[in-house]
Amino acid sequence: MDYLPNYLPEPYRIRVVEPVKRTTEQEREKYLLEAGYNPFLLDSDKVYIDLLTDSGTGSVTQAMQSAMLRGDEAYSGSRSYHELSRAVKDIFGYQFTIPTHQGRGAEQLYVPALINKRERESGLDRDKMTAISNYFFDTTQGHTQHNRCRVLNVSTPEAFNTEVVSDFKGNFDLEALALAIEEVGPSNVPYIVSTITCNSAGGQPVSIANLRSVYELAQYYGIPVVMDCARFAENAYFVKQREKEFANWSIQEITSEAFKYADIFSMSAKKDALVPIGGLLAFKDDSLLDVQLECKTLCVLLEGFPTYGGLEGGAMERLAVGLYEGMNEDWLASRVQQIEYLVSGLEALGIRCQQAGGHAAFIDAGALLPHIPSWQFPGHALSCELYKVAGIRGAEIGSLLQGCDMETGEQLPCPAEFLRLAIPRATYTQAHFDFIIAAFAEVKKRASSIVGLKFTYEPKVLRHFNAKLEPAL
Ligand code: F0G
């Protein structure tokens, strides 16, 4: 072939489309005011390109849609449940599966069950316990704290430095992990969470070598490891690209290797498993049988009977197919290159970003808007300006999301002020990416006149979802 563009053409055909509407800047100013300067509170028909999240917002495949028709809606022991647990065994090697309505549905089962087990066996008080992660996703952190256990992140030192390029910025700092376990005391650590890819650090991957070392350390201290694996396929894709040993392995082979290094996995299936709704909790074997049983009981209370969790039969069939479809290497490559294209386009404008990772571009709003202090939320101010300029919706991953200390009410320190532009799978085309870059050229021109924001209403927990703000003039 003679001619190749500087991007990968989309490796799929689009057969079902959803209309979107462009609005004027004047209209968007009004919508933003009505939404209390919080893009979370905008109606989707007021948004032209929606990059709030890649969770349940991407395209589904023909094979997934048709699988829904096979749904067995029996209340217990349905064929669709067995189909789903067969796929989980085949891909991940985990023997027991509980479907849930989404990722946090799995968290509300395993978090209390593991903390209860620790309390039961050690006789220690949960208020003294600390769970550890490379970086807790906010709902995982929320569930842990809600169960009166503290959280600690031990990310690699370069994780949040946008000037450093490194293959596995999602890794645990192994020394910090070992030190933390010793300091807290191993019996005060109810679990370790390996988050792949590491969402909060900018969708950065974790190497198999790092996962293996974490697991060896955890086994030495008798601490269970939970894989928080919303973006398991993307992590495997980066491992294949960057960890020499695995260069010739398939995505499925790398995935099954990665999952040897945990005891339980908790998955938001709305990401790499491509479904609009769904989650999974799975156990590698019977070594944590008491936890498994408690999760089943909690599932009946909170999600539904353990052979359907929060899902209808058709949705379990769709998920069983989506787990395989999400590992399609051409599709993984396509999305990663969309993110690389976007990041390099923004950097060419002089806008600093976290190195391209999976699922999103993370813009260093702190660097672009140095005149806005962290307590006036530069990432959020940038998000509002981007919406005003072009109708594009992103999400702040910074001090606003980080929140306050529950006891003192003080703002928690935040390692970076990012604006995340999450890329729904197979949803936007090359022209959209050029449009986003053009919008940023305009935003950059206005940068020095963008002002920070202050609360008019500040919810106590997970405040970024429902907060209302106004310009801090
Ligand atoms: N863990 C990780 C790493 C996640 O990214 C998410 C969700 C969850 C757990 C919770 O799963 O939403 O299905 O209940 N992340 C979404 C995001 C919301 O936008 O990154 P859920």
Side-chain angles (χ1 to χ4, degrees), residues 255-311:
T255 298
S256 91
E257 176 67 19
F259 279 72
K260 286 183 187 157
Y261 307 118
D263 304 292
I264 297 175
F265 82 67
S266 167
M267 182 193 293
S268 168
K270 299 168 71 172
K271 283 84 169 176
D272 281 1
L274 311 184
V275 293
I277 193 77
L280 288 169
L281 176 64
F283 293 79
K284 190 156 72 181
D285 51 38
D286 280 347
S287 57
L288 291 166
L289 192 60
D290 48 351
V291 177
Q292 216 181 93
L293 292 172
E294 189 171 342
C295 287
K296 272 167 92 169
T297 306
L298 285 172
C299 190
V300 177
L301 270 177
L302 300 168
E303 294 279 305
F305 193 77
T307 61
Y308 72 85
L311 300 177

Side-chain angles (χ1 to χ4, degrees), residues 116-155:
N116 288 344
K117 177 182 168 72
R118 226 349 109 93
E119 211 171 40
R120 209 165 48 235
E121 289 178 352
S122 66
L124 294 165
D125 186 351
R126 61 181 57 208
D127 292 311
K128 308 248 156 37
M129 290 184 193
T130 303
I132 309 176
S133 177
N134 46 342
Y135 212 96
F136 280 98
F137 181 69
D138 46 2
T139 56
T140 326
Q141 170 169 333
H143 277 291
T144 305
Q145 291 170 331
H146 184 67
N147 282 278
R148 301 204 337 258
C149 173
R150 273 182 282 221
V151 294
L152 179 70
N153 297 314
V154 288
S155 43

Side-chain angles (χ1 to χ4, degrees), residues 98-111:
I98 301 178
T100 59
H101 80 284
Q102 59 182 80
R104 64 202 74 181
E107 289 165 0
Q108 67 174 341
L109 309 184
Y110 86 75
V111 167

Side-chain angles (χ1 to χ4, degrees), residues 132-137 152-161 164-174 177 192-212 214 226-228 231 234-235 238-239 242-243 354-359 362 418:
I132 309 176
S133 177
N134 46 342
Y135 212 96
F136 280 98
F137 181 69
L152 179 70
N153 297 314
V154 288
S155 43
T156 173
E158 68 270 22
F160 291 93
N161 185 342
V164 174
V165 175
S166 162
D167 282 345
F168 292 104
K169 272 181 151 182
N171 277 0
F172 281 80
D173 180 333
L174 294 170
L177 174 63
I192 292 170
V193 177
S194 296
T195 311
I196 61 168
T197 56
C198 190
N199 186 349
S200 316
Q204 299 296 318
V206 185
S207 71
I208 298 280
N210 194 256
L211 292 173
R212 192 185 292 135
V214 169
V226 181
M227 195 81 85
D228 182 4
R231 298 176 181 91
E234 216 157 53
N235 202 74
F238 285 118
V239 164
R242 299 178 184 179
E243 207 169 352
Q354 172 69 299
Q355 74 178 51
H359 90 269
F362 283 69
F418 287 134

Side-chain angles (χ1 to χ4, degrees), residues 365-366 369-381 396 399-400 411 417 450-454 472:
L369 307 174
H371 57 286
I372 302 182
S374 61
W375 63 88
Q376 289 178 359
F377 314 125
H380 195 76
E396 189 253 17
S399 292
L400 178 62
Q411 169 72 48
E417 303 291 346
I450 298 175
V451 292
L453 294 153
K454 60 178 193 223

Side-chain angles (χ1 to χ4, degrees), residues 204-464:
Q204 299 296 318
V206 185
S207 71
I208 298 280
N210 194 256
L211 292 173
R212 192 185 292 135
S213 303
V214 169
Y215 194 57
E216 281 167 6
L217 201 65
Q219 290 218 304
Y220 172 77
Y221 285 114
I223 302 168
V225 174
V226 181
M227 195 81 85
D228 182 4
C229 55
R231 298 176 181 91
F232 70 96
E234 216 157 53
N235 202 74
Y237 177 80
F238 285 118
V239 164
K240 186 173 167 108
Q241 306 296 313
R242 299 178 184 179
E243 207 169 352
K244 274 202 187 67
E245 200 186 329
F246 300 100
N248 297 316
W249 292 38
S250 70
I251 299 299
Q252 187 166 337
E253 285 164 346
I254 297 170
T255 298
S256 91
E257 176 67 19
F259 279 72
K260 286 183 187 157
Y261 307 118
D263 304 292
I264 297 175
F265 82 67
S266 167
M267 182 193 293
S268 168
K270 299 168 71 172
K271 283 84 169 176
D272 281 1
L274 311 184
V275 293
I277 193 77
L280 288 169
L281 176 64
F283 293 79
K284 190 156 72 181
D285 51 38
D286 280 347
S287 57
L288 291 166
L289 192 60
D290 48 351
V291 177
Q292 216 181 93
L293 292 172
E294 189 171 342
C295 287
K296 272 167 92 169
T297 306
L298 285 172
C299 190
V300 177
L301 270 177
L302 300 168
E303 294 279 305
F305 193 77
T307 61
Y308 72 85
L311 300 177
E312 60 172 302
M316 289 193 281
E317 296 277 355
R318 178 177 58 190
L319 173 51
V321 175
L323 286 168
Y324 289 99
E325 299 271 271
M327 291 188 289
N328 180 321
E329 206 173 320
D330 287 343
W331 293 349
L332 290 166
S334 169
R335 188 165 76 139
V336 167
Q337 95 81 37
Q338 285 180 330
I339 292 156
E340 282 167 357
Y341 182 88
L342 181 54
V343 167
S344 56
L346 296 178
E347 284 186 333
L349 294 173
I351 295 174
R352 199 195 294 163
C353 298
Q354 172 69 299
Q355 74 178 51
H359 90 269
F362 283 69
I363 294 139
D364 191 336
L368 183 63
L369 307 174
H371 57 286
I372 302 182
S374 61
W375 63 88
Q376 289 178 359
F377 314 125
H380 195 76
L382 183 59
S383 173
C384 290
E385 191 65 22
L386 180 65
Y387 175 72
K388 211 164 70 185
V389 165
I392 300 166
R393 173 157 71 170
E396 189 253 17
I397 306 275
S399 292
L400 178 62
L401 176 126
Q402 188 82 341
C404 294
D405 186 295
M406 296 292 263
E407 277 154 33
T408 63
E410 301 266 304
Q411 169 72 48
L412 290 165
C414 190
E417 303 291 346
F418 287 134
L419 168 65
R420 184 183 80 165
L421 303 179
I423 310 301
R425 292 157 191 79
T427 303
Y428 293 108
T429 65
Q430 191 61 30
H432 290 113
F433 290 96
D434 286 329
F435 178 83
I436 299 165
I437 294 165
F440 266 96
E442 177 60 28
V443 169
K444 179 149 191 268
K445 274 192 222 152
R446 301 184 186 185
S448 61
S449 63
I450 298 175
V451 292
L453 294 153
K454 60 178 193 223
F455 288 112
T456 56
Y457 164 62
E458 182 184 3
K460 285 262 172 302
V461 282
L462 295 175
R463 62 186 182 179
H464 52 296

